[in-house]
Amino acid sequence: MDSDWARTSLSSLSFSSSSGQRQNQPPRPPPRSFPPYQSRQQRKQLKFYQAEANRTQTADKNRLERIEREIEKRHKDDVLKIRIHPDANMAVNMIANMTALELRREMERYGDVGEIIIEPESALVFFEARPHNIRDLVRLNIGGHRLRLELLRNHPDSRFSAESLELGAMLAEDVFCSEFMVKSAVTIHFQENKRQIKITFKHPFNETIMKYHVEMKFQDMDKGCIQVHQLGSKDEILIQLRFPPIFWRFDSKLEGSDHQKWSVNHSLRRAVDILKGGDITGIAMRDSPVEPNPTNLNAKLGRWIVFRLVIDQRYIGDVESLVDGAKRCNLFKEDSQGIEVRESSRVPRPNMEAFKPLAFEVRYMLDSALSFNYIVEYDLTAEVAEIFCALEPLKASMILEHIIWNRQRIWNLKDYLSKQAAKLKTPVKPRIVPDQCVYLRKASITPTTIYLQPPAIETSNRIIRQYLHVKDYFLRVEFSDEGSSKLWSKDSASNENNAIYNRIFAALTQGIKIGNRTYEFLSFSASQLRENSAWFYCPEGGNPTIESIHNWMGDFSRIKSIPKYAARMGQCFSSTRAIDNLSSEQVHMINDIEYNGHVFSDGCGRISEDLARMIGIELEKESMPSAFQIRLGGSKGVLALYPTLPKKMVQIRPSMEKFTVKHYVLEVIRTSSYISSYLNRQIILLLTHLGVPNEIILDLKNKHMRDLAKLETDDTTAIKVLRQNWDEHGTTKMMVEMVKAGFLQNQDPFIKNLLALFKHQQHEELAKKARILVPDGAYLLGVCDETGDLKEGEIFVQISGSEGSSKRRIIEADCIVVRCPCFHPGDVRVVRAVNRKSLAHLHDVIVFNTKGSRGIPSMCSGGDLDGDDFTVIWDERIVKKVKQHEPMDYSGQGALAAKDVTIHDIKKFFVQYAVSDNLGVIANAHLALSDQLEGGPFHSKCLKLAQLHSDAVDFPKSGIPAQITPDLRAKMYPDFMEKPPEKTYRSARILGQIFRDCSEGLESWVPQDYQQSFNKLLVIDGHEDYLADAYECKEGYDREMNSLKNQYGVKSDLEVVCGFITGIGIITNKRDRDIRKAIQGAYGGIRRKWRKELEEEFYAPDSKVVDPQNLPFLERKASAWYAVCYQDLQPGDPYTFPWVAWDILCTIAHRVRTQQLTEEEDPTRASVSGDDDNESTVIDLLGEEPLENENMRSIQSSALMDIALKRERGKISAEKRDSNLRILQQYTHSQFVTGGLTSRTWRGPQTTPSGTPLTLAVTMQKLTSEEPSSPVETVNSYDMEAPLGAYSPKKCELRPLRSAVTLQTGLQAGVISVEPDVDDKALHEILGY
């Protein structure tokens, strides 16, 4: 009889001494012998209860024996799940009062415990294998209290046992080389809900048994990586991974903090080796450097990434379940054949000595291919070494680079090398590096291996430019977790990741050995610290030493804070473009603007107009920017245009100067530009809790979605949407011009795919980031008001928008200003945008007031003006609903002081940051809790997280980590954060609605091949002369594009060109926006290089601009570039090469359309006029878009004044003449189309060095519905006598021309200059407006 009552009745029975009848209370246990005074009835009753007790004891004994037998029947490695029930009320209290850790310690006496869960009246215990002390377990007694066991059934998604586990590599597609085998406690668990496979095993270590856990993430597996074969009565599972899995080692000393739940995961310590003896903490601190192929590890976990398991037939059902799950996850390989297994001891070892004579660049590339497992060590035979030694180093490196970029395993390396070497019979030219760029090597260090990246294009920095002669000895090093994961930190008190951090510190202190070079730690920039990356340098062979480089960088001795010392050194490693080497007389120090103890000019200085114009020309900007983020010696920050400064001069402030240095090279990181404004999750979260109705946000989202739906089919919508999404790199501008030139209608694959890619990116960012376009807004660089004309709470905003400088608009409205990341309700500031004439020279920046109690930037998430961007929105539907909240105090904690900072201190801080960086954890917790808690970001927990996030942002400078407590961590996450299903709930708030609305129908982007894409009309006469050169150029361009594309694992050339990246396939810690920025920067260098290759032969003598006389030849060459890509275009072929000259191709396309229209109206009329005897040829280009006369004049004045205001006495320098000609050429090529001008005309010849005059006629047309019968207006001509020549308009009139009205202006130019005594008013008259 199995009941609670039966087990407890004898121990609680009581009797009545008078009546002998049973009372309400159970009687006490009777004695063994019956006293003579007991009645017969009492004795009969006692016999009954004693018999009942005997039956209960027998039943209980049988039940325990049955449980014992059932457990013993199970396999020794099977999981056992039991529930513990109390036998009495005292036991109930005992379980309720126990912690999970205490119960675990009790249960460990019986077997390996995997998980403990304390419930109100019971407890769940999960044993990882069959307990070794079954008899005592089923008779469980804790603290004198007996507990009852209940066996539970295993979950269908359960693990099962394997006879053996082997690690190794594939020698051929059907040959497995076994490097390591274990047979103890091997289990495999296919966890489909967690998107991973988990394997466990035991391995002896000294006198103990170590237990290991292996996690294989689905995201790090390739399609068809799992095979299952039959081995007689057994099964064989083969798993081939792309990256090494994560290894853990069980350590019972590690304990969790949750009192109600404990699992084995709380006691796992990261492992980088499988221990056989020696140091138990993971990786010992050794004297030898870190190497790609280390000899001091017991197991090469980074190279042995093929796992083989042998499964007993009793688990055939579990294997079938695993196969079904693998098929659902697209991981199973159908119809795979069996494999041959070879033990490594029977495979000939590679002869590495034969490869020592190879040049370093070849040895590096060989190690690179090995690190990615595209070849294995067993491929490195003596024959392979002979082939490599016989090849030129450049050819050998190219072959190896080809292996790496193809990302495919080479099964017969010897044959592959022979075939590739035969193809490279002609000499191979070294690559030409674009200006301001450099080829650099990069190493990614993970816990178990080192990935060596092939040299790739990077924007250079101050150090690389100074030591360009030894650039080959610099190495970028990034520390990451296995796969593509960022190093994840824990509380600083935890030591479960010590093995990883010891490996990082070993690399920093002992260096990294690659081939015969040992690279040592040099420094890191601020962005590199966030990405866990740094610069290393090899000082061997007479190179400059680490110490000499540090001394050249500057004097940091007065900095007594380790984090600040590291940050200041990092300034020298910012990716920049060098503009000019200034003298000390050109750099002046001025005071900061301070009020009420606040610095309003923090990080903002001044720059002269001449220097600003020079930067604009150097960076190929169409108009002069108003502000520049710079590095200048030991100073950093932003320089804003200040027109009254003379010549080339800058003024910096104390808040900008960080350390002292002896050189003043002006370096530019970026310039100010107009960028469209977007909402994101953080901004939406704050706005909706500050009073903005959800309907306003959803209306903006819906409008954005409707426009995107028509993007690929309607020219007008495409132009409108692209203009609303203006970007700083000019990608959307190029797309607008291509649409206007008719390439979309012609189904050109380049513009069609760019539009599809743009649409996909916008759609994806709507779903995943709630990135919603706000047309009435902008994203601008912040500067300060130098005039003092702005009052407290006022800003000045003048935007160019998509129309460029011709249609600048000054905003006069109430606005909100916000800076991301933003977590506190006070980060959203309501301000007033006003018009101030004194600030009219500033555009595409947000000018903040320098008066009041506190600066607006400091209220916006603790911002400043040293390069921060701000979102400003003047949509009155949003602004008028916002109820402003008090800002947070972002003063932060003071930096920890040190007596004398050493490089060793900086190395330790690098590791400390990796250990303690909680920035991402805090941000995720804030987003999740704001969605869950009443009040959202106003809840006390969210306000604490906002402060913690500010502390975490300051950590790189303060050295004080932000510690997040368990109560502030999120336990569950809203669906829009896309966490694992078991931790996800459906969000009922607006972010959840946006996510679900926009996720519907979101698919991966794949480039499409479009029929009839070749436009024969773009292939003009004379292009044949440039075809041979075009083929050679295309080959070089494609090679560089492939290199850049593969550097970041980008799938398509189109993504590289436009920066709309759909995904990357590399190991990196960089954020998506940083990767996009890096790709666009590198592609900018490639584009500039090939644009120079296109134009250089047509430059005017002693000039760097194209001679207008040579424009027809330039067009023919551009046409040849188009032809070599498009004439025989096959599916999958790259075709981005000719679009380096997109503006020239658009010019040809416009002319073709004009010719077609003209011939339709009057077939007898010639579209191009001129003859051989006439040195003047006029080409009219007719477009579509109407343009008002006042807009014509506005655009005309913009470019001409840029040139005319270059006043100097005497003949101007050749450099300035080239700059002016470049401005004029850029204007006539691009601004006409961008501004809506619909035709233009070139007329030659060009000015020569001997002074031959240039006549340049610019024709601007617009379509009209009425045909004028007579001249509309005549403007008088003006002449100006100037010794060196000047602008002299010959005529400026409106005259009838069929159905069009044309404004034609003739400009006579000798050497381009204007005498300084000509004032602005006279100059306006001279130019005819």
Side-chain angles (χ1 to χ4, degrees):
M1 184 175 181
D2 188 9
S3 68
D4 291 341
W5 179 84
R7 290 195 302 274
T8 59
S9 57
L10 289 179
S11 61
S12 56
L13 194 63
S14 62
F15 301 88
S16 170
S17 59
S18 58
S19 64
Q21 298 297 318
R22 201 176 159 191
Q23 305 297 314
N24 290 334
Q25 296 296 327
R28 290 191 295 259
R32 289 188 176 274
S33 59
F34 302 140
Y37 57 82
Q38 289 182 335
S39 67
R40 183 177 180 180
Q41 182 64 27
Q42 287 176 323
R43 291 195 297 271
K44 184 178 181 181
Q45 190 177 29
L46 287 174
K47 286 182 179 180
F48 169 79
Y49 286 131
Q50 190 170 26
E52 188 69 21
N54 292 334
R55 284 194 298 271
T56 300
Q57 291 175 359
T58 302
D60 193 39
K61 178 181 178 182
N62 292 337
R63 181 182 65 83
L64 295 177
E65 290 176 349
R66 184 176 68 252
I67 295 175
E68 187 174 352
R69 287 193 301 271
E70 186 173 345
I71 295 176
E72 287 176 341
K73 286 180 181 178
R74 299 195 179 190
H75 190 270
K76 62 183 179 64
D77 293 327
D78 280 357
V79 175
L80 177 67
K81 301 181 181 180
I82 63 173
R83 185 186 299 276
I84 300 175
H85 295 280
D87 259 5
N89 291 332
M90 186 179 296
V92 171
N93 295 331
M94 184 268 298
I95 290 182
N97 292 329
M98 289 186 74
T99 66
L101 190 59
E102 290 170 341
L103 184 56
R104 168 204 148 193
R105 290 169 180 161
E106 292 286 345
M107 303 306 293
E108 279 181 334
R109 294 182 297 166
Y110 310 106
D112 295 334
V113 180
E115 188 173 6
I116 299 283
I117 300 176
I118 302 293
E119 296 180 338
E121 295 185 359
S122 64
L124 293 176
V125 180
F126 296 73
F127 286 95
E128 298 223 312
R130 189 181 67 191
H132 52 75
N133 191 353
I134 302 174
R135 179 175 177 81
D136 289 344
L137 173 65
V138 297
R139 296 161 180 80
L140 183 63
N141 187 299
I142 298 178
H145 300 286
R146 184 177 173 185
L147 302 175
R148 183 165 60 91
L149 268 63
E150 175 189 356
L151 289 182
L152 301 177
R153 307 187 76 179
N154 288 344
H155 191 273
D157 187 25
S158 177
R159 70 176 185 172
F160 55 94
S161 300
E163 285 190 0
S164 64
L165 166 68
E166 294 170 83
L167 277 64
M170 301 300 295
L171 301 183
E173 291 184 270
D174 58 352
V175 179
F176 171 72
C177 177
S178 176
E179 300 276 6
F180 173 86
M181 175 183 281
V182 63
K183 294 185 177 181
S184 175
V186 180
T187 66
I188 179 171
H189 192 177
F190 189 87
Q191 298 175 311
E192 188 173 353
N193 60 328
K194 294 185 178 181
R195 313 292 295 172
Q196 70 176 13
I197 296 174
K198 191 169 185 178
I199 295 176
T200 63
F201 63 90
K202 291 182 179 180
H203 189 67
F205 168 72
N206 292 341
E207 298 179 355
T208 62
I209 300 295
M210 307 299 295
K211 185 168 186 179
Y212 292 89
H213 291 238
V214 186
E215 292 180 359
M216 306 173 181
K217 303 291 185 183
F218 288 0
Q219 66 188 27
D220 295 331
M221 299 182 185
D222 289 322
K223 177 182 177 181
C225 68
I226 298 178
Q227 303 176 38
V228 175
H229 311 124
Q230 284 190 348
L231 299 174
S233 61
K234 301 178 182 180
D235 283 332
E236 170 190 69
I237 300 176
L238 194 72
I239 307 174
Q240 301 184 52
L241 301 179
R242 181 158 46 106
F243 300 118
I246 296 176
F247 282 79
W248 300 90
R249 179 173 56 80
F250 181 78
D251 187 346
S252 60
K253 296 178 182 179
L254 294 179
E255 301 175 352
S257 58
D258 191 338
H259 295 308
Q260 301 301 312
K261 185 176 180 180
W262 175 90
S263 76
V264 69
N265 293 333
H266 295 148
S267 298
L268 294 179
R269 185 191 297 276
R270 284 298 293 269
V272 298
D273 195 3
I274 297 176
L275 302 175
K276 289 185 178 179
D279 184 16
I280 192 173
T281 60
I283 183 170
M285 300 302 296
R286 304 178 176 94
D287 295 333
S288 58
V290 177
E291 299 182 61
N293 189 23
T295 58
N296 51 10
L297 292 179
N298 300 313
K300 296 181 180 180
L301 303 181
R303 299 289 176 88
W304 303 344
I305 58 173
V306 181
F307 287 66
R308 178 177 179 264
L309 298 102
V310 176
I311 313 297
D312 190 86
Q313 63 178 349
R314 78 184 75 180
Y315 300 111
I316 186 171
D318 295 298
V319 173
E320 291 175 352
S321 298
L322 182 147
V323 169
D324 292 339
K327 288 179 179 179
R328 288 191 296 270
C329 299
N330 205 24
L331 299 175
F332 187 72
K333 184 177 182 179
E334 301 280 2
D335 303 324
S336 61
Q337 303 298 319
I339 61 169
E340 176 188 348
V341 180
R342 297 180 187 174
E343 292 184 11
S344 60
S345 59
R346 299 181 179 180
V347 180
R349 306 301 297 180
N351 181 13
M352 300 307 298
E353 291 294 324
F355 293 86
K356 283 189 175 181
L358 294 178
F360 174 78
E361 55 267 32
V362 181
R363 183 63 187 271
Y364 178 90
M365 294 302 299
L366 186 63
D367 282 340
S368 176
L370 284 167
S371 71
F372 286 101
N373 295 293
Y374 300 138
I375 60 177
V376 296
E377 291 179 5
Y378 297 104
D379 296 327
L380 303 183
T381 62
E383 294 86 352
V384 169
E386 288 179 8
I387 297 174
F388 274 122
C389 292
L391 285 171
E392 298 175 22
L394 188 57
K395 288 184 178 180
S397 298
M398 287 185 62
I399 292 173
L400 288 166
E401 183 178 18
H402 189 263
I403 292 174
I404 298 164
W405 289 153
N406 280 347
R407 301 172 186 269
Q408 296 293 327
R409 174 76 160 83
I410 302 299
W411 296 113
N412 192 323
L413 182 59
K414 178 184 173 182
D415 290 349
Y416 179 87
L417 291 175
S418 301
K419 292 177 182 178
Q420 293 298 317
K423 294 179 182 178
L424 296 174
K425 293 182 179 180
T426 58
V428 178
K429 297 179 181 179
R431 292 171 179 166
I432 301 175
V433 182
D435 293 339
Q436 303 286 344
C437 294
V438 65
Y439 273 106
L440 290 173
R441 297 185 177 95
K442 175 184 172 183
S444 297
I445 300 181
T446 75
T448 61
T449 189
I450 300 179
Y451 296 100
L452 301 180
Q453 303 279 0
I457 294 175
E458 300 270 2
T459 304
S460 64
N461 57 51
R462 180 185 303 178
I463 303 300
I464 299 297
R465 286 190 292 268
Q466 175 65 22
Y467 296 96
L468 199 59
H469 60 292
V470 291
K471 66 181 184 301
D472 193 50
Y473 289 82
F474 287 89
L475 180 72
R476 293 191 66 170
V477 178
E478 185 175 83
F479 299 93
S480 66
D481 211 333
E482 308 296 357
S484 55
S485 302
K486 186 181 186 300
L487 283 176
W488 53 284
S489 60
K490 281 288 185 181
D491 298 333
S492 57
S494 172
N495 58 1
E496 66 184 72
N497 287 327
N498 277 358
I500 297 178
Y501 301 124
N502 287 342
R503 181 167 168 83
I504 296 174
F505 195 63
L508 295 174
T509 54
Q510 306 300 329
I512 303 168
K513 187 174 183 180
I514 303 172
N516 58 354
R517 293 184 186 178
T518 300
Y519 291 87
E520 301 175 16
F521 171 78
L522 182 61
S523 186
F524 51 83
S525 66
S527 61
Q528 284 182 311
L529 180 63
R530 291 192 298 268
E531 298 162 1
N532 304 129
S533 62
W535 284 96
F536 280 60
Y537 171 73
C538 176
E540 299 171 0
N543 292 339
T545 64
I546 298 280
E547 185 179 3
S548 65
I549 295 176
H550 285 163
N551 291 338
W552 181 87
M553 288 164 59
D555 181 11
F556 308 97
S557 59
R558 62 190 177 104
I559 303 174
K560 300 302 180 182
S561 163
I562 296 172
K564 285 190 176 181
Y565 194 106
R568 300 317 174 213
M569 290 182 67
Q571 284 181 213
C572 302
F573 291 90
S574 298
S575 297
T576 58
R577 292 187 64 179
I579 302 297
D580 199 2
N581 192 358
L582 303 180
S583 66
S584 58
E585 289 77 17
Q586 293 173 302
V587 181
H588 293 179
M589 179 69 72
I590 59 175
N591 293 329
D592 272 304
I593 304 174
E594 299 185 49
Y595 284 100
N596 299 320
H598 293 280
V599 179
F600 286 77
S601 58
D602 189 6
C604 187
R606 304 169 177 175
I607 187 170
S608 67
E609 188 171 354
D610 279 0
L611 199 49
R613 194 181 310 281
M614 176 189 292
I615 298 173
I617 293 169
E618 180 67 27
L619 300 184
E620 300 178 350
K621 300 297 180 181
E622 294 175 0
S623 61
M624 182 176 64
S626 293
F628 311 86
Q629 187 179 8
I630 60 96
R631 299 287 186 266
L632 178 61
S635 300
K636 65 185 287 281
V638 168
L639 296 178
L641 179 63
Y642 200 70
T644 59
L645 285 182
K647 298 185 179 180
K648 296 194 297 184
M649 181 175 291
V650 299
Q651 293 179 335
I652 61 175
R653 291 188 158 96
S655 60
M656 302 173 66
E657 189 177 44
K658 307 303 179 182
F659 60 93
T660 58
V661 69
K662 296 179 181 179
H663 44 82
Y664 292 98
V665 177
L666 178 60
E667 306 168 63
V668 175
I669 297 176
R670 63 189 178 109
T671 69
S672 59
S673 61
Y674 169 82
I675 303 176
S676 303
S677 64
Y678 294 86
L679 302 177
N680 60 25
R681 287 175 178 171
Q682 296 171 4
I683 298 176
I684 292 172
L685 190 64
L686 293 181
L687 290 180
T688 52
H689 283 86
L690 289 171
V692 178
N694 290 352
E695 292 73 21
I696 295 176
I697 307 297
L698 294 175
D699 181 61
L700 288 170
K701 184 266 295 181
N702 293 335
K703 183 179 184 302
H704 197 177
M705 291 290 289
R706 287 194 300 269
D707 287 341
L708 289 176
K710 298 186 294 183
L711 182 72
E712 300 175 80
T713 56
D714 181 71
D715 285 17
T716 303
T717 302
I719 292 172
K720 183 188 77 170
V721 173
L722 291 171
R723 283 179 168 172
Q724 288 177 340
N725 291 272
W726 223 238
D727 68 285
E728 60 182 316
H729 298 282
T731 302
T732 47
K733 175 193 170 181
M734 174 188 69
M735 295 166 66
V736 165
E737 299 308 326
M738 291 189 67
V739 172
K740 291 170 66 176
F743 288 101
L744 177 58
Q745 296 178 4
N746 195 51
Q747 297 291 296
D748 182 89
F750 183 69
I751 186 62
K752 287 282 291 183
N753 275 308
L754 284 190
L755 286 171
L757 189 52
F758 172 83
K759 177 180 177 180
H760 171 81
Q761 186 205 37
Q762 293 282 310
H763 193 177
E764 185 177 58
E765 290 185 337
L766 271 169
K768 297 183 179 299
K769 299 181 181 179
R771 193 168 183 262
I772 301 173
L773 174 69
V774 183
D776 291 337
Y779 183 68
L780 305 172
L781 185 65
V783 300
C784 69
D785 172 23
E786 298 281 0
T787 67
D789 289 348
L790 293 177
K791 300 177 182 177
E792 184 173 8
E794 290 183 342
I795 61 171
F796 175 83
V797 176
Q798 180 179 202
I799 59 171
S800 299
S802 60
E803 301 296 334
S805 59
S806 62
K807 290 187 177 180
R808 288 180 184 151
R809 179 162 65 106
I810 295 175
I811 306 302
E812 296 183 79
D814 289 330
C815 307
I816 61 168
V817 175
V818 63
R819 171 184 169 269
C820 288
C822 51
F823 295 93
H824 191 272
D827 290 340
V828 179
R829 310 311 302 161
V830 179
V831 297
R832 177 69 184 175
V834 297
N835 186 358
R836 293 289 183 267
K837 291 183 179 180
S838 58
L839 300 173
H841 59 282
L842 297 173
H843 61 88
D844 299 327
V845 295
I846 176 169
V847 186
F848 291 103
N849 65 282
T850 52
K851 294 179 179 178
S853 58
R854 182 179 172 186
I856 296 172
S858 69
M859 303 185 211
C860 298
S861 307
D864 53 31
L865 301 178
D866 70 349
D868 288 355
D869 295 294
F870 299 83
T871 296
V872 55
I873 296 173
W874 53 89
D875 187 326
E876 64 176 7
R877 295 177 302 169
I878 295 176
V879 178
K880 68 181 181 181
K881 296 291 185 180
V882 173
K883 300 175 182 177
Q884 188 169 252
H885 191 271
E886 282 298 314
M888 196 173 89
D889 180 11
Y890 288 98
S891 55
Q893 307 176 69
L896 296 175
K899 186 176 180 181
D900 290 306
V901 180
T902 66
I903 295 300
H904 189 74
D905 293 330
I906 293 175
K907 294 174 183 177
K908 290 196 295 184
F909 174 68
F910 184 91
V911 179
Q912 180 195 359
Y913 183 85
V915 172
S916 306
D917 177 28
N918 284 318
L919 192 65
V921 175
I922 294 170
N924 283 339
H926 184 276
L927 184 60
L929 295 184
S930 294
D931 187 79
Q932 299 167 20
L933 302 176
E934 188 67 28
F938 284 93
H939 193 279
S940 60
K941 286 188 176 181
C942 295
L943 294 175
K944 289 180 183 178
L945 285 168
Q947 180 62 61
L948 279 177
H949 190 273
S950 176
D951 295 339
V953 169
D954 289 339
F955 179 23
K957 295 180 181 179
S958 68
I960 304 173
Q963 300 290 353
I964 179 172
T965 54
D967 64 301
L968 296 179
R969 292 178 180 268
K971 304 297 187 299
M972 297 293 291
Y973 297 90
D975 51 356
F976 59 80
M977 294 184 71
E978 299 183 276
K979 296 294 183 179
E982 67 272 13
K983 294 184 178 181
T984 296
Y985 67 90
R986 180 184 174 91
S987 171
R989 300 199 178 184
I990 184 172
L991 292 179
Q993 182 178 345
I994 293 172
F995 168 74
R996 291 185 291 272
D997 290 348
C998 298
S999 295
E1000 186 176 350
L1002 183 61
E1003 299 178 352
S1004 300
W1005 174 81
V1006 178
Q1008 299 296 317
D1009 296 306
Y1010 295 93
Q1011 301 298 321
Q1012 299 177 347
S1013 59
F1014 177 55
N1015 188 348
K1016 296 180 180 180
L1017 297 177
L1018 290 179
V1019 182
I1020 61 178
D1021 292 340
H1023 81 283
E1024 302 88 352
D1025 299 337
Y1026 301 94
L1027 281 177
D1029 178 72
Y1031 280 110
E1032 185 176 345
C1033 290
K1034 181 180 184 299
E1035 183 180 349
Y1037 171 89
D1038 288 343
R1039 186 166 59 248
E1040 291 181 7
M1041 286 293 287
N1042 282 333
S1043 177
L1044 178 59
K1045 185 175 61 174
N1046 290 309
Q1047 176 186 355
Y1048 291 96
V1050 179
K1051 299 175 183 177
S1052 167
D1053 289 17
L1054 295 161
E1055 297 175 66
V1056 173
V1057 170
C1058 64
F1060 306 149
I1061 311 301
T1062 60
I1064 60 170
I1066 60 168
I1067 300 173
T1068 182
N1069 293 332
K1070 288 187 174 182
R1071 296 170 294 184
D1072 289 347
R1073 64 183 182 187
D1074 293 330
I1075 293 173
R1076 183 181 303 174
K1077 181 180 177 181
I1079 292 173
Q1080 289 179 307
Y1083 175 70
I1086 295 174
R1087 181 187 56 78
R1088 288 191 299 271
K1089 169 187 170 180
W1090 291 103
R1091 181 70 185 218
K1092 181 180 179 182
E1093 177 67 28
L1094 175 72
E1095 297 179 343
E1096 192 169 22
E1097 64 178 297
F1098 306 117
Y1099 284 169
D1102 300 324
S1103 170
K1104 292 185 179 180
V1105 293
V1106 175
D1107 186 333
Q1109 270 192 116
N1110 292 332
L1111 284 174
F1113 302 101
L1114 179 63
E1115 289 185 354
R1116 293 170 194 171
K1117 188 173 181 179
S1119 177
W1121 284 23
Y1122 176 83
V1124 298
C1125 275
Y1126 276 77
Q1127 270 185 325
D1128 299 313
L1129 186 64
Q1130 300 297 320
D1133 287 349
Y1135 47 79
T1136 63
F1137 168 61
W1139 301 107
V1140 169
W1142 64 268
D1143 52 337
I1144 301 175
L1145 294 178
C1146 285
T1147 297
I1148 298 172
H1150 275 299
R1151 183 167 69 244
V1152 168
R1153 300 181 75 188
T1154 303
Q1155 293 168 354
Q1156 291 174 334
L1157 289 174
T1158 302
E1159 291 170 358
E1160 289 175 2
E1161 293 179 357
D1162 185 357
T1164 63
R1165 181 184 175 192
S1167 57
V1168 179
S1169 60
D1171 54 68
D1172 295 337
D1173 298 329
N1174 191 348
E1175 61 180 6
S1176 174
T1177 301
V1178 179
I1179 305 172
D1180 290 327
L1181 309 175
L1182 182 62
E1184 311 177 325
E1185 189 172 357
L1187 184 70
E1188 300 299 328
N1189 287 341
E1190 55 268 23
N1191 291 334
M1192 289 183 185
R1193 294 189 176 189
S1194 173
I1195 295 174
Q1196 183 185 32
S1197 65
S1198 168
L1200 298 183
M1201 289 297 291
D1202 273 352
I1203 303 170
L1205 291 178
K1206 301 280 290 185
R1207 308 176 184 180
E1208 285 189 22
R1209 292 191 179 275
K1211 186 172 181 178
I1212 64 174
S1213 66
E1215 176 184 308
K1216 289 198 173 182
R1217 182 183 68 230
D1218 294 345
S1219 298
N1220 292 338
L1221 285 173
R1222 188 182 295 117
I1223 291 176
L1224 182 58
Q1225 182 185 345
Q1226 288 176 349
Y1227 169 70
T1228 54
H1229 268 274
S1230 54
Q1231 288 288 350
F1232 278 7
V1233 182
T1234 302
L1237 293 171
T1238 56
S1239 76
R1240 64 174 177 265
T1241 301
W1242 280 100
R1243 180 174 294 167
Q1246 159 94 20
T1247 300
T1248 65
S1250 61
T1252 303
L1254 159 70
T1255 300
L1256 177 64
V1258 181
T1259 302
M1260 295 175 284
Q1261 288 185 351
K1262 74 166 187 175
L1263 298 177
T1264 60
S1265 56
E1266 298 179 0
E1267 182 174 333
S1269 58
S1270 60
V1272 180
E1273 178 184 0
T1274 301
V1275 181
N1276 293 328
S1277 298
Y1278 295 89
D1279 293 307
M1280 181 181 73
E1281 296 294 336
L1284 301 176
Y1287 295 104
S1288 179
K1290 291 183 176 179
K1291 63 178 180 177
C1292 189
E1293 63 179 8
L1294 291 173
R1295 56 184 176 83
L1297 178 64
R1298 300 180 63 79
S1299 60
V1301 176
T1302 302
L1303 172 65
Q1304 181 164 312
T1305 303
L1307 301 178
Q1308 177 71 33
V1311 179
I1312 300 179
S1313 68
V1314 177
E1315 285 294 275
D1317 57 325
V1318 179
D1319 60 20
D1320 291 350
K1321 182 177 180 182
L1323 187 62
H1324 277 246
E1325 292 178 350
I1326 290 168
L1327 292 173
Y1329 56 88

